[in-house]
Amino acid sequence: MYIGFNNRSGAFANAHLRKAVSLAVDRNALAKSAYAGYATAARQPSYNPPSALASSTRLICRSQLTAAAAKQQIALSKVSDSALKITLLVNKNDNRLAAANQIKTALEAAGFTVQLQVSKFSDYKARIKNLNYDLYIGEVKLQNDMCLYPFFSTDGAARYGISQNKGSTAALYRDYTAGKTELGKFMLSFSEEMPFAPLVYRKGMICYSKSLRGDIQGQYGNFFANIEDWYFG
């Protein structure tokens, strides 16, 4: 889950305001409340914390997630009060709507005035494609290697609103995946430009009837592993 910005025009062409939004949001509260604990806070585009790769990768977020820090970024942006009147687009989904209301409250505490715009999914997709938003709450399923090409490629599913040629983040990510630069350089650029704001990694559940027996080994990506050994009893 992430917050998408319209980086190309309006208030969020200003990187300070993008950072202000990211700083204002309490990811742990979102995970516990909007997603009932079935999510993990994501403050940066790194490996999903529960994943095996995360144990060998530690990327430190340098800023405190507080309204005070968000207000400081707003001050640095030097925008007028009218630029702080923004829209937040979300589709009709119970979890996302709960998250949107929490985010709205957090942003207003930091100094924004937020209009929540709830759309059916078809309208939501069309508005994102046409850059008809300030912020939107999005979700993307990344591959197991946590590749970020959905955000940083010209045909990526989550590319909308991200300037591929303005700034250094997208280019540095391409250089990193090509082995031409270090991950740390990309991460520093990301934290400065904040092309999108990671929120949480959602978790899933495998549910089955109590009457189903056997050594059930279903797992992410292979839910029906050893199904031949299952039985009802």
Side-chain angles (χ1 to χ4, degrees):
M1 302 297 303
Y2 63 94
I3 293 176
F5 300 109
N6 187 347
N7 289 206
R8 300 182 184 181
S9 63
F12 294 104
N14 188 309
H16 288 295
L17 291 187
R18 298 197 297 270
K19 287 191 282 187
V21 167
S22 182
L23 287 164
V25 178
D26 185 339
R27 274 80 163 172
N28 288 321
L30 280 181
K32 292 177 181 178
S33 181
Y35 291 94
Y38 290 99
T40 302
R43 296 183 179 90
Q44 53 204 354
S46 61
Y47 295 120
N48 189 342
S51 74
L53 290 172
S55 62
S56 61
T57 304
R58 300 188 63 178
L59 300 174
I60 299 172
C61 185
R62 297 176 298 168
S63 300
Q64 295 292 324
L65 297 177
T66 64
K71 289 177 180 178
Q72 184 180 33
Q73 288 297 323
I74 291 173
L76 290 171
S77 73
K78 298 181 180 179
V79 300
S80 64
D81 289 343
S82 62
L84 302 180
K85 296 179 180 180
I86 60 174
T87 60
L88 174 60
L89 177 64
V90 63
N91 69 301
K92 291 182 178 179
N93 171 287
D94 288 345
N95 294 119
R96 290 194 200 178
L97 192 55
N101 279 298
Q102 283 186 247
I103 291 168
K104 179 178 186 293
T105 299
L107 295 184
E108 290 182 338
F112 291 96
T113 301
V114 184
Q115 179 186 4
L116 195 61
Q117 298 182 334
V118 184
S119 299
K120 62 182 182 180
F121 191 58
S122 58
D123 292 339
Y124 164 86
K125 290 195 300 182
R127 288 188 59 178
I128 292 173
K129 185 176 181 179
N130 294 323
L131 301 182
N132 184 17
Y133 63 90
D134 292 319
L135 305 175
Y136 74 92
I137 297 179
E139 179 175 359
V140 64
K141 184 177 183 295
L142 299 179
Q143 298 175 14
N144 290 341
D145 62 1
M146 300 298 291
C147 176
L148 297 176
Y149 273 136
F151 295 98
F152 297 124
S153 63
T154 56
D155 59 351
R159 71 187 184 279
Y160 300 104
I162 296 177
S163 299
Q164 301 292 334
N165 300 316
K166 183 179 179 181
S168 61
T169 304
L172 279 170
Y173 186 73
R174 291 190 288 269
D175 285 347
Y176 164 65
T177 56
K180 297 178 180 178
T181 192
E182 297 177 354
L183 178 60
K185 290 184 178 180
F186 160 72
M187 291 301 300
L188 286 173
S189 177
F190 184 94
S191 67
E192 289 300 316
E193 295 183 358
M194 196 58 63
F196 64 93
L199 292 175
V200 298
Y201 298 103
R202 284 205 303 112
K203 298 177 182 178
M205 293 185 295
I206 298 176
C207 302
Y208 54 88
S209 169
K210 289 182 179 179
S211 62
L212 189 61
R213 308 288 178 168
D215 180 21
I216 299 171
Q217 298 178 8
Q219 55 188 295
Y220 178 75
N222 186 11
F223 304 113
F224 300 102
N226 82 316
I227 189 174
E228 68 277 5
D229 297 328
W230 302 357
Y231 63 93
F232 290 93

